[in-house]
Amino acid sequence: LSPVTPNPLKSAENSANDQLDIKETSPQTPTTEVVQSNQFGEKTPINQPILVTEPLSLELELQHLFAETRGSQKHTRQQLKARLTKKIISKSRRHKALFYLGFGLLAAGVVGAGLWGVFSTSYFWTLKTWESDLQALQTNQTQTVIPKPNQFKPLEWQLKIYEPILKDEFLNEAKTLIALIRDTRSFLQQSGELQQNSGRLIGGVLAGQSEDLAEQILKITTQLQLQTTTIADFLAESKQLDQKSLSQSARQQLAEQTQRLTQEAKKIAATTKVLKILPKVLGVESKQNLIVIVQDQRELRPTGGFIQAVGQLHFSRGLLTESIFQSAYELDKVRASKIQPPDEIKRFLGENLWFLRDSNWSVDLPTSAKQIRFFVQESTNQPVDGVAALTFEGVRRLIQASGPLDLPELNEQVTERNFYDRLEFHAETQSLTISNQSVDYLSLILTKLVTKISQLNPQDQAKIIEALYDLAESQPLQLTATDVEVRRAWTELGWGGEVLQPPCPSELATTNCVIDRLYQVDANVGINKVNPFIEKKVTDHIEVGETKISHQRNITYRNQAKLDSWPQGEYRAYLKFLLDKTAEFQSLLINGQPAATDQLLQYQEQENQVIGVVIQVPRQKSVTVELKYQLSHQYQAPFAYFFFNQKQAGTAEVQDILLSYQPTLKPRLITPDADLSSQLLNFHFQRETQSFVGAAFEASAK
């Protein structure tokens, strides 16, 4: 038998396996866990623990070691790849989300900007539309075709969408703009309708074809109430509009229209008051006879001018039934009684009898109207229920409103431009012969004027109403009546021609308010028509002292007449100053010298102290008149000073008022606006109506 030769390698392997088995089952055998770090710094154990055994053969140990290392690295690479893939997917998702979000925001921004651009365009287009409406309002184009309302509908539609979502001042601006457009167009529309109805009323009255007067008055009154509301809304909304968005011309137009509509509201209030008394004036219940005295302001007299003609307007049941115009000289001829004139007429006019043409000697129209009624009633045997005093300038402006007057009898046309020239041309002829009848030229013009007005269309007849209102406001037209209610209405409107005694305004009223009244009245006693050539400059110096208020008035007359012959020549005038009866008269100087005693008058008349003097101003010369008086008062702050300067009808002048006060006082309220310097207030007026100044004072902090 051959002996079995053991394989040394196999024996070694078996021996090793036996040893491994022994080691694995031996609980006391310590083990060491081998870990390795990957590129992320994470530590991972190797799958198989390394047994701490006896040293193996180098080859086996190397094989085992390399096998374990490759497995571990492969596993690590797989984990790393998985983690990288997961990160890439996560980043890709975030980038995609950010992309879509950015794209969405960009799209929303583009859409929003586009919508806002459309809104802004609509706003400014609507703004231009409103500026066009303002232009129509400024030029009083009430009959202009009003643009269709859909011109601002796009803006209004967008507002309905955006207002619930957005709260922005620009949206409020747009809303205010639309409201202003509505108000502007409503006013234009209402004015057009009002003109039509007012024109139909006056046209029907003058033509004797009036509809139901009460119904017409009610309709007009309702329209006036609507217009008052529209004006109030416009004025309130215009204050809310940011004017920076308006063009320079639009801002100017808005300021002008705001002022105009404020005056329009005053006119509406006056018209409403007139409508209440109109049935009485037009003789709805009983016949009424209105006398119109036509005064030539070129020969100035107390109520506005020398009485050149007289008109009789007879009304019955709301209609003009008859109109007659005659020369004042003609009526004086048929009057039988002989009346002694006032001493001033005797003294300065040299008349021994009182005539209708001089019956307006009292500056207070109701007082003069009593004498006028007496003379007219005696000459015509007709009752007189009211008196209207109308100057030549008033007639000229009515011709301007109605249009040229054709006089085919004389082959003439009278316009507002040649009115005075034609009057002067015919002045030396007391009467004209037309169709074998003697006719006064001025009476012919007035008759033609009434006929022309009655034949106008309603829109142009409404212009006559506007002209009459303006004349009453600026005094070429004044009114009084025998009926108490009617006379009170004229007085409240400021059209009554009375000597006024106003109270201290509520803005200035304090327990200590000093009222200073001054009414200067000029009467041309030179029997010429030189007043248009007289320039008059008035300056009042007022000083508020501790116990006295000193008032000095300086008047400069400059006669610019070029001829010594009639109707020009020297200006000889009787000046009257009406002061409060408590005033203390000090002096009256002419060219720096005291007035001659025989030329100076001083007397009391009702609640007034009257100072009178005669002056003479040669052609191309100047004369200065200085009046001084004082008012007593208790110097106790706070207190107010109020100066009321009543204006004579038929006059216009430039006036400056300089009001100085003590350093211990400080004005807290000044009306109207004035230039303020050291203890001095400077007011300037181009007087066409009544004027007043006032200041409320308090103790100075100094």
Side-chain angles (χ1 to χ4, degrees):
L1 294 172
S2 300
V4 178
T5 304
N7 188 336
L9 294 175
K10 187 170 179 64
S11 297
E13 182 179 356
N14 291 335
S15 176
N17 289 336
D18 292 340
Q19 292 178 6
L20 286 172
D21 292 337
I22 294 171
K23 297 295 181 182
E24 288 175 356
T25 59
S26 176
Q28 290 82 16
T29 303
T31 63
T32 301
E33 185 179 21
V34 180
V35 296
Q36 66 179 5
S37 299
N38 59 22
Q39 68 184 56
F40 299 105
E42 299 174 339
K43 295 182 179 181
T44 57
I46 298 176
N47 291 338
Q48 299 296 331
I50 300 175
L51 300 178
V52 180
T53 62
E54 296 178 0
L56 300 176
S57 65
L58 180 59
E59 182 179 359
L60 289 175
E61 190 172 349
L62 289 173
Q63 288 178 355
H64 181 75
L65 181 62
F66 281 117
E68 293 294 334
T69 301
R70 284 195 298 271
S72 175
Q73 289 177 346
K74 182 178 180 181
H75 179 73
T76 301
R77 284 195 300 271
Q78 289 175 345
Q79 286 184 329
L80 179 60
K81 184 176 181 180
R83 290 177 181 276
L84 288 174
T85 302
K86 186 176 180 181
K87 278 198 169 188
I88 290 172
I89 292 173
S90 177
K91 285 184 178 181
S92 176
R93 287 175 179 172
R94 286 199 301 271
H95 289 167
K96 187 179 291 185
L98 290 173
F99 171 77
Y100 285 123
L101 178 62
F103 182 80
L105 291 174
L106 178 62
V110 171
V111 172
L115 292 175
W116 192 252
V118 172
F119 182 82
S120 300
T121 302
S122 300
Y123 175 84
F124 287 107
W125 176 256
T126 306
L127 189 62
K128 291 297 181 183
T129 300
W130 183 55
E131 290 180 8
S132 177
D133 290 349
L134 278 180
Q135 183 66 30
L137 188 63
Q138 185 178 30
T139 55
N140 201 26
Q141 297 175 6
T142 54
Q143 298 303 314
T144 302
V145 177
I146 299 176
K148 295 181 180 179
N150 59 12
Q151 284 190 326
F152 60 85
K153 282 294 182 183
L155 181 63
E156 191 174 38
W157 176 75
Q158 292 174 74
L159 274 175
K160 290 180 180 178
I161 296 175
Y162 298 147
E163 270 194 308
I165 305 172
L166 302 174
K167 299 296 181 184
D168 189 90
E169 288 296 327
F170 194 42
L171 297 182
N172 293 332
E173 285 287 315
K175 192 174 181 180
T176 301
L177 179 61
I178 290 176
L180 281 169
I181 291 178
R182 292 188 188 278
D183 291 338
T184 303
R185 294 182 178 182
S186 294
F187 180 81
L188 290 170
Q189 187 72 33
Q190 292 163 0
S191 296
E193 295 173 357
L194 192 58
Q195 281 187 353
Q196 291 289 332
N197 291 326
S198 300
R200 277 196 289 267
L201 186 148
I202 189 174
V205 169
L206 296 180
Q209 301 173 352
S210 180
E211 302 173 8
D212 186 341
L213 185 64
E215 182 179 344
Q216 286 184 303
I217 290 175
L218 179 60
K219 183 185 295 184
I220 294 172
T221 302
T222 303
Q223 290 176 326
L224 290 173
Q225 291 172 347
L226 289 174
Q227 202 167 46
T228 300
T229 302
T230 301
I231 291 174
D233 291 343
F234 180 95
L235 295 177
E237 288 153 0
S238 63
K239 294 179 181 178
Q240 301 175 10
L241 185 67
D242 183 8
Q243 297 191 18
K244 294 179 181 178
S245 60
L246 301 178
S247 64
Q248 180 65 31
S249 62
R251 284 197 295 270
Q252 183 177 354
Q253 288 176 11
L254 179 58
E256 291 174 356
Q257 293 317 309
T258 299
Q259 183 177 3
R260 178 195 166 188
L261 291 179
T262 302
Q263 293 298 319
E264 199 71 26
K266 178 184 176 184
K267 186 185 298 184
I268 290 172
T271 305
T272 302
K273 186 178 288 291
V274 171
L275 289 173
K276 290 180 180 179
I277 62 170
L278 194 59
K280 282 190 175 183
V281 174
L282 298 181
V284 171
E285 296 180 356
S286 60
K287 293 181 179 180
Q288 295 288 303
N289 184 18
L290 176 65
I291 296 300
V292 181
I293 58 169
V294 185
Q295 308 173 108
D296 187 355
Q297 78 279 352
R298 299 175 302 171
E299 186 175 350
L300 191 60
R301 291 295 172 86
T303 64
F306 178 76
I307 299 177
Q308 198 77 44
V310 176
Q312 301 176 64
L313 303 179
H314 299 278
F315 295 96
S316 178
R317 297 182 180 180
L319 303 175
L320 177 65
T321 58
E322 186 179 22
S323 61
I324 303 171
F325 291 93
Q326 296 171 280
S327 165
Y329 287 96
E330 182 180 349
L331 290 174
D332 279 331
K333 288 178 182 178
V334 299
R335 185 169 56 84
S337 65
K338 299 184 184 298
I339 306 297
Q340 291 294 313
D343 290 340
E344 292 173 340
I345 291 180
K346 283 184 179 180
R347 184 172 180 178
F348 302 123
L349 284 177
E351 297 282 0
N352 294 320
L353 295 176
W354 202 358
F355 298 102
L356 171 62
R357 56 183 179 266
D358 298 323
S359 58
N360 59 343
W361 191 255
S362 173
V363 68
D364 183 67
L365 180 61
T367 301
S368 285
K370 292 179 182 179
Q371 196 62 43
I372 292 169
R373 286 199 302 271
F374 171 80
F375 285 138
V376 172
Q377 287 173 351
E378 191 176 51
S379 299
T380 63
N381 293 319
Q382 294 287 339
V384 176
D385 301 293
V387 174
L390 180 67
T391 65
F392 275 19
E393 179 60 19
V395 176
R396 188 194 70 81
R397 285 159 64 175
L398 287 174
I399 294 173
Q400 183 180 21
S402 65
L405 302 177
D406 292 323
L407 277 61
E409 304 90 340
L410 302 175
N411 195 27
E412 289 183 10
Q413 186 181 70
V414 179
T415 68
E416 76 276 10
R417 293 185 177 182
N418 69 2
F419 173 66
Y420 288 113
D421 292 337
R422 301 316 302 164
L423 285 176
E424 188 171 334
F425 177 81
H426 291 282
E428 295 184 4
T429 305
Q430 291 293 331
S431 62
L432 303 170
T433 302
I434 300 175
S435 300
N436 297 323
Q437 292 184 351
S438 178
V439 179
D440 173 64
Y441 182 73
L442 178 59
S443 299
L444 177 63
I445 289 178
L446 296 170
T447 302
K448 294 286 186 180
L449 179 60
V450 172
T451 303
K452 176 70 176 287
I453 293 173
S454 67
Q455 296 173 349
L456 294 174
N457 61 54
Q459 182 181 352
D460 290 333
Q461 285 171 336
K463 294 179 182 178
I464 301 299
I465 298 177
E466 293 281 338
L468 289 172
Y469 173 82
D470 292 338
L471 292 174
E473 282 290 297
S474 56
Q475 295 182 304
L477 173 64
Q478 296 179 313
L479 300 153
T480 188
T482 57
D483 183 89
V484 175
E485 182 185 1
V486 175
R487 185 172 65 251
R488 184 188 302 116
W490 298 142
T491 299
E492 291 174 352
L493 289 168
W495 303 347
E498 303 94 340
V499 177
L500 300 176
Q501 296 181 354
C504 190
S506 58
E507 297 87 352
L508 300 175
T510 66
T511 55
N512 185 18
C513 181
V514 180
I515 300 175
D516 183 3
R517 295 186 296 109
L518 177 56
Y519 190 178
Q520 179 181 336
V521 181
D522 294 11
N524 183 341
V525 293
I527 314 178
N528 59 20
K529 311 288 184 183
V530 74
N531 279 94
F533 300 94
I534 303 302
E535 295 178 355
K536 186 165 69 170
K537 175 71 168 61
V538 179
T539 303
D540 287 276
H541 300 269
I542 304 165
E543 182 180 352
V544 179
E546 293 188 358
T547 58
K548 299 282 187 181
I549 293 179
S550 300
H551 195 142
Q552 174 181 315
R553 166 164 288 193
N554 295 93
I555 314 109
T556 301
Y557 291 90
R558 174 72 181 175
N559 186 349
Q560 299 285 22
K562 299 179 180 179
L563 302 173
D564 286 320
S565 58
W566 191 93
Q568 301 181 34
E570 180 182 70
Y571 181 49
R572 186 169 181 266
Y574 174 50
L575 275 56
K576 288 201 296 188
F577 300 94
L578 278 67
L579 314 176
D580 189 88
K581 64 180 181 180
T582 62
E584 179 186 346
F585 170 67
Q586 291 183 299
S587 64
L588 184 64
L589 307 180
I590 299 176
N591 288 334
Q593 299 297 320
T597 305
D598 60 341
Q599 297 294 316
L600 182 65
L601 281 76
Q602 184 177 1
Y603 58 91
Q604 293 283 335
E605 186 177 81
Q606 297 179 355
E607 298 298 316
N608 306 298
Q609 181 178 179
V610 181
I611 310 297
V613 69
V614 173
I615 63 169
Q616 293 175 305
V617 187
R619 180 178 65 87
Q620 296 296 314
K621 299 292 183 180
S622 297
V623 169
T624 60
V625 178
E626 180 187 286
L627 169 72
K628 284 186 178 181
Y629 64 93
Q630 288 185 338
L631 295 168
S632 299
H633 80 101
Q634 295 180 352
Y635 187 77
Q636 182 180 359
F639 86 101
Y641 170 77
F642 175 60
F643 171 45
F644 179 70
N645 188 23
Q646 189 165 351
K647 174 185 169 294
Q648 180 184 6
T651 63
E653 61 198 25
V654 177
Q655 181 183 23
D656 287 307
I657 300 175
L658 305 176
L659 175 61
S660 62
Y661 51 92
Q662 298 294 315
T664 54
L665 292 177
K666 179 179 68 174
R668 64 174 179 82
L669 178 64
I670 302 170
T671 181
D673 293 337
D675 295 328
L676 176 61
S677 58
S678 179
Q679 283 88 53
L680 181 66
L681 303 176
N682 190 345
F683 303 87
H684 180 77
F685 297 94
Q686 183 70 45
R687 291 188 69 209
E688 294 183 355
T689 59
Q690 324 285 15
S691 63
F692 68 89
V693 302
F697 295 95
E698 60 186 6
S700 175
K702 295 182 180 180

